[in-house]
Amino acid sequence: TVEEDLRLLDAIGNCGLGNWADIGEAVIGQGSSGKNPKRCMERYFDDFLGQYGHIMPSHMILHQDNNNNNNDDEDHNLENSNSIGGGDDASSGGCAVENQEPTKKRRLSSFGAALMSGSKRSKRMKVVQTSTVKGYDDLWPDGYIPPISGARFGQDVNREQRYRAEQNFVKLTAGLETKGEVDRITQAWREQRLNRMDGPTVLPMRSEDLHELPGSELAGFMPRRGDFDVEWDNEAENILA
């Protein structure tokens, strides 16, 4: 539902992108059911960030006014919108918006408020493309396209395909015996598969090679992430605020 989507974005901004266990608890804690961490991750990555350059699900459900049955795209507006997305499955949402200018943060806030308002005059619904809703172009005028060969605005990201390619690389290098073989395979994938439309976006190191990274000897430090483990209490600073 739209309320769950807004709680999801708020939890991502508060807990940090990637802390899906805490994010799932924030969404479930308001009475939702079946919204485990995996579902929350899939909803955000596959729907909100499922298309290059977009930060909202591709479709939304709008209230349709009984007094005006004109279905033209130009009549779609934020004031009569009711729900985003096509279901309860898994923009840059709350986390990415925190990194934007205040004007863009206000745009998303007003967009979310309009989603929550809805129209009370009719219960008839219609599904429209989110990009046709008035005000969407002002929400995120400069859509980000990652440096991936062949990536185009509005094209599906295909996260599952990229994840499978990454897992294939992990399985391939895990069976190699020498560091030289690993380096040879990694170089070949970097030249032929990395950041391609059917390839992975990252080539993970083997766990046995992590000791070569700077800081790997420090307790609690994650060398591949370049940061220490998550804080024990993400909201501890609120006590001092």
Side-chain angles (χ1 to χ4, degrees):
T1 65
V2 61
E3 292 85 359
E4 292 168 342
D5 280 334
L6 293 177
R7 287 201 300 269
L8 171 65
L9 299 180
D10 185 61
I12 291 174
N14 291 332
C15 302
L17 183 63
N19 295 324
W20 296 111
D22 294 337
I23 293 170
E25 289 182 3
V27 176
I28 296 173
Q30 301 295 327
S32 300
S33 60
K35 304 302 184 295
N36 55 37
K38 184 175 183 293
R39 290 284 297 279
C40 292
M41 180 192 70
E42 291 174 345
R43 174 62 172 164
Y44 183 69
F45 283 130
D46 295 339
D47 292 335
F48 281 86
L49 301 183
Q51 295 179 307
Y52 291 119
H54 291 278
I55 62 169
M56 295 289 289
S58 59
H59 291 78
M60 64 166 49
I61 302 175
L62 302 183
H63 282 290
Q64 182 170 310
D65 192 347
N66 282 333
N67 298 324
N68 183 7
N69 293 324
N70 190 344
N71 293 324
D72 293 339
D73 288 342
E74 59 267 23
D75 289 336
H76 302 158
N77 56 72
L78 299 182
E79 284 69 23
N80 66 358
S81 60
N82 177 67
S83 179
I84 54 181
D88 293 337
D89 301 323
S91 122
S92 318
C95 179
V97 170
E98 291 297 328
N99 298 326
Q100 305 302 324
E101 298 84 4
T103 54
K104 290 185 178 179
K105 293 172 66 177
R106 286 196 297 270
R107 288 170 187 159
L108 188 56
S109 297
S110 61
F111 195 86
L115 290 175
M116 290 289 290
S117 63
S119 173
K120 306 300 182 182
R121 293 176 294 176
S122 172
K123 292 184 179 180
R124 298 182 61 186
M125 312 298 292
K126 58 182 178 181
V127 178
V128 301
Q129 287 187 336
T130 306
S131 58
T132 65
V133 178
K134 289 183 179 180
Y136 180 78
D137 291 337
D138 296 330
L139 169 67
W140 199 254
D142 301 318
Y144 172 72
I145 307 296
I148 295 177
S149 177
R152 300 187 303 274
F153 187 86
Q155 188 176 23
D156 290 340
V157 174
N158 293 324
R159 182 182 63 87
E160 284 293 332
Q161 182 181 15
R162 296 185 178 281
Y163 176 75
R164 288 195 296 268
E166 179 182 324
Q167 293 303 305
N168 290 336
F169 173 80
V170 171
K171 294 177 181 178
L172 179 62
T173 55
L176 302 178
E177 297 181 356
T178 65
K179 185 67 166 56
E181 292 178 311
V182 175
D183 293 340
R184 179 175 57 83
I185 295 297
T186 301
Q187 183 62 28
W189 274 64
R190 183 175 291 113
E191 295 175 353
Q192 302 173 12
R193 300 290 303 279
L194 185 64
N195 285 331
R196 304 294 178 89
M197 293 305 298
D198 60 343
T201 56
V202 63
L203 300 177
M205 293 183 63
R206 300 188 305 172
S207 58
E208 53 265 40
D209 297 331
L210 294 181
H211 67 277
E212 300 179 358
L213 295 178
S216 58
E217 71 281 0
L218 300 176
F221 186 77
M222 298 176 289
R224 283 186 292 189
R225 184 174 176 179
D227 196 2
F228 285 89
D229 200 356
V230 295
E231 300 178 13
W232 178 260
D233 185 355
N234 285 328
E235 299 180 1
E237 62 273 11
N238 292 341
I239 300 175
L240 303 177

